[in-house]
Amino acid sequence: QGHLVESGGGSVQAGGSLRLSCSASLYTASWSCMGWFRQSPEKEREGVATRHIVGPATYYADSVKGRFTISQDNAKNTVYLQMNNLKPEDTAMYYCAALSSGICSQMDPRHFTGWGQGTQVTVSS
C-alpha cells in the first residue's frame, strides 16, 4: 500500500501563505480520493479539503473555503494544499490521507488511510 509523506509546514504571521505537499511513494490502485486533514491539541481531527484522484471535483471545509486550494500533480504522485490568508485558528498539525471506500465529499477521517507523520502549521497573530 502507498505511503504518504507531508511537507511544507512552518510558522507564518496571520495573512501569510504556505503550500503543503503530500508525496505518495506509490499510488494504490484502490485509492479514489485524496484529502488534507488537520488536528490541534484541543480538537478532533477534521477534514480540510479533499479531491477525487480522477476528475476535477474538490471539496472544502467551510472554514477554509476561498482561502485554501487542493491540487494534484499525477506525474509526481503529489497532492498540494495552497493556504492563503492564514489565520491563527488554522494552527494545527496537517496530515494527508487517501480514501479507498467512502464518500470523498464527507471528508470523514475514519474512512481514510495511508496517514503520514504530518507537518506543523503555526500562524501567529
Side-chain angles (χ1 to χ4, degrees), residues 4-9 20-21 36-37 45 92-96 115-121:
L4 301 170
V5 178
E6 304 93 341
S7 62
L20 307 183
S21 298
W36 283 97
F37 299 81
R45 189 167 298 188
M93 185 72 79
Y94 283 70
Y95 302 89
C96 68
W115 298 94
Q117 295 298 310
T119 185
Q120 178 68 38
V121 171

Side-chain angles (χ1 to χ4, degrees), residues 11 20 23 29 33 59 73 79 94 99 105 107 111-112 114-115:
S11 296
L20 307 183
S23 297
C33 166
Y59 310 96
D73 185 335
V79 177
Y94 283 70
L99 180 69
S105 60
M107 295 191 285
H111 298 158
F112 282 72
W115 298 94

Side-chain angles (χ1 to χ4, degrees), residues 36-65:
W36 283 97
F37 299 81
R38 65 187 181 187
Q39 186 169 17
S40 54
E42 64 274 14
K43 293 183 180 180
E44 293 185 351
R45 189 167 298 188
E46 62 175 354
V48 174
T50 58
R51 67 166 292 139
H52 292 284
I53 289 177
V54 177
T58 56
Y59 310 96
Y60 297 92
D62 289 342
S63 59
V64 307
K65 281 181 181 177

Side-chain angles (χ1 to χ4, degrees), residues 18-34:
L18 285 172
R19 189 176 80 156
L20 307 183
S21 298
C22 170
S23 297
S25 59
L26 176 69
Y27 267 167
T28 299
S30 63
W31 290 354
S32 60
C33 166
M34 300 295 295

